[in-house]
Amino acid sequence: MEISVLPSAVSTNTLVKEKANSGASEGYMILANEQTAGRGRIGRSFFSPKNTGVYLSLLLRPKNYSSEQAVRITTMAAAAVCVAIEEISGEKAEIKWVNDIFVRGKKVCGILTEGSFDLESGLLDFAVLGVGINVYEPYNGFPKELESIAGAVFQEHTNDAKNRLVSEFLNRFYGYYTAPSLTKYIEEYRKRSFVIGKEVSLLSSNETKNAVVLGIDDHCRLLVKYADGTEGCYSSGEISV
Ligand code: BTN
């Protein structure tokens, strides 16, 4: 594993993607102390201030992963971040499907996985797994528009917490990624998913629907029941509770 630690990066995902395209191997990782243009899901930005967060991107080249299997990378990372947060901080970490991590009711971590697929085989060529964790409150607070949503893992400075979170996350993630069975990670993912049994609004393919979440299956797909009694299944999308 090769790790580059940078004082600042535009976006660690963008940099690792460039490295992937020029042949870097699996395990190549960039860890930055701030991002000047951190990216989130669905074209959003990710607030990445100096010193208070962990911003990392990891290059993966799994063999024979279809697009369905590629989704696992994100959910394995979500489970691994939760376990790491709980181990290092003692706080309970919860998952809002698919991959937002909450502590004390506020979002403390976002995950953005970007895949590049081989056009002929349809298999994953590489994936860049990007993880952003708000470890501490930013020095000047969160921007107004994030104030009610975003939070930090720790309320007070804790020695070495950032390094310990990164190393615990990597150990957990590789454990799940290399395990012969998916059972352990799915169990960890499912037991921290706080949307099960709740009524949610589901945004997928530009359409919003209300539904009750019935559960999460072994592919980490969301199983829902709509008001008219019919059922649905989602492998991606955005929910609000
Ligand atoms: C989200 O919540 O929408 C996903 C946020 C992902 C942020 C991480 S920080 C490290 C990596 N580099 C980026 O530009 N984004 C991801």
Side-chain angles (χ1 to χ4, degrees):
M1 183 167 194
E2 184 187 343
I3 304 181
S4 276
V5 180
L6 304 179
S8 180
V10 177
S11 151
T12 54
N13 261 37
T14 304
L15 297 184
V16 171
K17 238 195 288 182
E18 283 167 14
K19 283 282 189 180
N21 282 319
S22 45
S25 319
E26 169 153 297
Y28 178 79
M29 184 177 120
I30 294 182
L31 177 64
N33 193 38
E34 71 166 345
Q35 293 184 116
T36 52
R39 295 188 291 107
R41 292 174 66 223
I42 22 185
R44 294 187 189 132
S45 61
F46 186 76
F47 181 60
S48 314
K50 209 184 265 184
N51 297 337
T52 54
V54 159
Y55 317 110
L56 68 82
S57 297
L58 176 65
L59 174 59
L60 298 166
R61 294 188 181 276
K63 300 262 177 299
N64 299 321
Y65 260 41
S66 63
S67 58
E68 193 183 277
Q69 287 163 314
V71 177
R72 264 189 224 151
I73 293 171
T74 298
T75 48
M76 280 180 185
V81 168
C82 285
V83 176
I85 288 176
E86 290 173 4
E87 286 288 316
I88 305 303
S89 71
E91 297 280 356
K92 182 173 173 213
E94 297 182 293
I95 301 171
K96 181 164 83 72
W97 183 89
V98 185
N99 55 5
D100 287 341
I101 316 293
F102 282 65
V103 168
R104 299 185 303 277
K106 295 271 183 86
K107 176 170 165 176
V108 300
C109 170
I111 299 168
L112 173 68
T113 305
E114 297 181 288
S116 172
F117 290 86
D118 180 85
L119 287 180
E120 250 168 54
S121 64
L123 295 175
L124 191 67
D125 178 18
F126 67 80
V128 174
L129 166 63
V131 178
I133 309 174
N134 306 325
V135 181
Y136 304 112
E137 293 281 331
Y139 299 146
N140 298 319
F142 287 102
K144 271 258 154 318
E145 66 279 13
L146 296 180
E147 257 173 14
S148 62
I149 318 159
V153 173
F154 290 92
Q155 290 169 301
E156 279 171 18
H157 187 87
T158 306
N159 268 352
D160 237 14
K162 281 170 64 176
N163 290 342
R164 288 189 292 137
L165 267 177
V166 171
S167 95
E168 188 67 32
F169 162 71
L170 289 173
N171 284 335
R172 296 288 172 169
F173 176 77
Y174 273 113
Y176 301 147
Y177 180 65
T178 55
S181 138
L182 302 173
T183 319
K184 180 73 187 153
Y185 110 79
I186 290 168
E187 184 191 305
E188 299 290 0
Y189 183 95
R190 203 180 268 138
K191 74 180 183 207
R192 291 178 177 82
S193 295
F194 69 80
V195 296
I196 297 174
K198 298 229 165 89
E199 202 173 322
V200 299
S201 288
L202 237 157
L203 173 66
S204 180
S205 316
N206 274 336
E207 198 188 14
T208 305
K209 285 185 169 179
N210 292 333
V212 172
V213 178
L214 300 176
I216 287 172
D217 73 6
D218 286 350
H219 303 278
C220 284
R221 290 179 303 205
L222 195 74
L223 308 174
V224 300
K225 189 172 199 166
Y226 306 111
D228 66 4
T230 58
E231 294 186 4
C233 171
Y234 292 81
S235 54
S236 65
E238 180 91 352
I239 52 178
S240 43
V241 184

